[in-house]
Structures are given as C-alpha cells and as structure tokens.
Amino acid sequence: MSDSEMIVNLHPVVVRLSEGVSIWNADCRDIMDPDMRVDAVVTDPPYGIGFAAQPTKWQRRAGMTPKDWDNGSAKVDWLLSLSELVVIWGGNYFPLPPSRGWLSWFKPDAPPSMGSFELAWTNIDQNPRQISQSIGATNAERLGHPTQKPLRVMEWTLEQAGIPKGATVFDPFMGVGTTGAACIRTGRKFIGIERDPEYFAKARKRLERELSQIQSTFDFGGGASAPTHNVSVHRRRTLCAVRCDA
C-alpha cells in the first residue's frame, strides 16, 4: 500500500491544543467548507517535484525513508478565496495570478544539487522581499520532514505579510507544524491540517511544546481538549466551519 492509499483511508481527527490552536489529521480536500474564511492563509504545499521520494544522503542517514506525497503537485487555487491575505511557498510551481509581492528565501549554503533560493507567492500589493537564512543553521529544528522550512523564515513570512497579532492563520498543508510554531511564538492563532499521520504526530508534539513554553497576550493554555470548531458529516465529507474569532 502506498503512502497516499494509507493516508486516504484515515478518518479525520481534530485536536484543540488551546483556545488559539487547533490541528487536524485529515486531507484538506475532504474537510473544507467552501464558505470558510480566515484572517490569513500561509502554507507550503507539495510542489510536485518528487523531492520526498528521493531522500538525500544526509536525510537517509537520519532515518528518512522515501514518500510519494510530493510526486504530484497540490491544487492551490481554492486557497485564494479563503482570505484577503494569502502566502503560498513554492508559488512558482503553480498557475497563480500575477503578483508583485513575492517573498524569497535565499540559502547561502545550498549545495550545487539544490536551488539557492525558494519563492513564495502572495496576493499582497507590495515590493518583493528576501530573507537570507542558512540551511545548516536550522539542523536542530529538523523533525524528519524533507522540505521543512526554517522557523525563522516562517516567522519572517508572517511579518512580511502584515498579519496582525492575534489573527487566525490557516495552513492546510501543515507538515510538522513550522507555520504553527511561528504563529505561537509571534502571538497569532493557528489552524493546521496535515494528512500524514507521522507528520501530524510530530507537529502535535512540537506545538504542545511551544505552547508550554510561551507566554502570550491571549490564552494559548489549557492543553489538549475537545474541539470547538463545528464538525459535520455530509455525503462522506467532513466539513469544518472555522470562525476567525474562535
């Protein structure tokens, strides 16, 4: 059974880690409410370049095994209707509208076999911006995800997008929770969805750890509890209704 077949058979699971942080173990295509609205979308979807299927020598030494979730690119056009603020890393791989507000992560220590920078598409009317961040400097953050973004890059992304403190940020391709960790550290609320059970478990532990360490101007505390977001099942699809002030 392939990774994709195993994942599709999952029943959606939602965990409310605090008043401001909720995460889903599900396929975002199966649980989305078309009328959902959030304050901001910040995500890093599969680019469809097969990177996860070919772990590097160093990734294999760390125990990483090939996965097929990056063999096909995600559909991202539906994200544009969710918010007035949308940031999609890897936006150059998708058919998105023209934008002048591109963000760039420059990798000064990128090996010759990798690109020296990555791009994020935004729907923001502003000048392009770039951050320089070493790949090697983030080794301590790594949790076994082959395309994990540095936490500093995601914190910078939130700031460059002008997302207000206390706003709700949505990431439907959560991975191991870097966007969520950045939100917690910078005083923003977070809703994340990840379909891979292994990555979801790692994201949950990571965000629980962040919540236990942070002091914010609004309540992140309380630990895991029952979800507050409304969940309903209709024609085999689970739809989530999310309020930005939840």
Side-chain angles (χ1 to χ4, degrees):
M1 179 180 290
S2 70
D3 299 333
S4 298
E5 290 171 332
M6 176 185 69
I7 290 167
V8 166
N9 289 331
L10 285 174
H11 295 292
V13 174
V14 60
V15 179
R16 178 187 173 220
L17 298 177
S18 74
E19 290 295 324
V21 179
S22 294
I23 56 175
W24 294 69
N25 185 196
D27 190 320
C28 61
R29 298 169 297 182
D30 293 333
I31 66 171
M32 292 306 305
D33 183 342
D35 296 323
M36 173 182 172
R37 296 293 181 272
V38 289
D39 297 322
V41 175
V42 177
T43 192
D44 186 22
Y47 301 167
I49 58 177
F51 189 76
Q54 304 176 62
T56 66
K57 175 177 67 176
W58 306 109
Q59 290 172 339
R60 291 194 301 272
R61 288 181 178 178
M64 196 175 299
T65 57
K67 289 180 175 284
D68 64 7
W69 52 261
D70 192 35
N71 289 352
S73 61
K75 292 187 180 298
V76 299
D77 55 322
W78 58 276
L79 298 174
L80 307 188
S81 65
L82 301 184
S83 177
E84 294 182 0
L85 290 175
V86 179
V87 180
I88 302 174
W89 277 98
N92 49 303
Y93 290 99
F94 305 104
L96 292 164
S99 171
R100 62 185 294 264
W102 289 85
L103 303 179
S104 172
W105 166 32
F106 173 64
K107 309 171 186 179
D109 55 346
S113 60
M114 297 176 62
S116 59
F117 64 93
E118 291 188 35
L119 293 171
W121 178 94
T122 81
N123 63 352
I124 306 167
D125 186 19
Q126 64 181 20
N127 291 325
R129 294 287 184 262
Q130 184 176 74
I131 184 173
S132 178
Q133 173 68 19
S134 165
I135 300 174
T138 61
N139 284 341
E141 303 172 10
R142 300 192 186 284
L143 294 172
H145 193 292
T147 62
Q148 181 179 334
K149 287 288 185 295
L151 182 58
R152 179 168 175 254
V153 170
M154 297 314 294
E155 291 177 343
W156 173 82
T157 300
L158 299 176
E159 296 298 328
Q160 293 301 312
I163 301 170
K165 304 289 185 180
T168 298
V169 176
F170 176 55
D171 184 355
F173 303 97
M174 178 175 64
V176 290
T178 305
T179 304
C183 287
I184 293 170
R185 291 194 179 193
T186 59
R188 296 169 173 92
K189 300 180 183 181
F190 179 70
I191 299 167
I193 303 175
E194 174 53 47
R195 70 175 192 167
D196 187 296
E198 176 187 352
Y199 296 155
F200 176 83
K202 291 180 178 180
R204 177 176 180 174
K205 289 181 180 179
R206 182 185 194 183
L207 298 183
E208 286 175 336
R209 183 171 62 251
E210 291 288 342
L211 287 167
S212 70
Q213 295 173 350
I214 204 74
Q215 293 293 326
S216 182
T217 55
F218 58 91
D219 180 26
F220 267 134
S225 59
T228 56
H229 306 317
N230 298 323
V231 182
S232 62
V233 178
H234 179 63
R235 294 181 182 177
R236 292 188 173 179
R237 294 176 64 85
T238 303
L239 306 180
C240 71
V242 181
R243 290 171 42 201
C244 292
D245 59 352

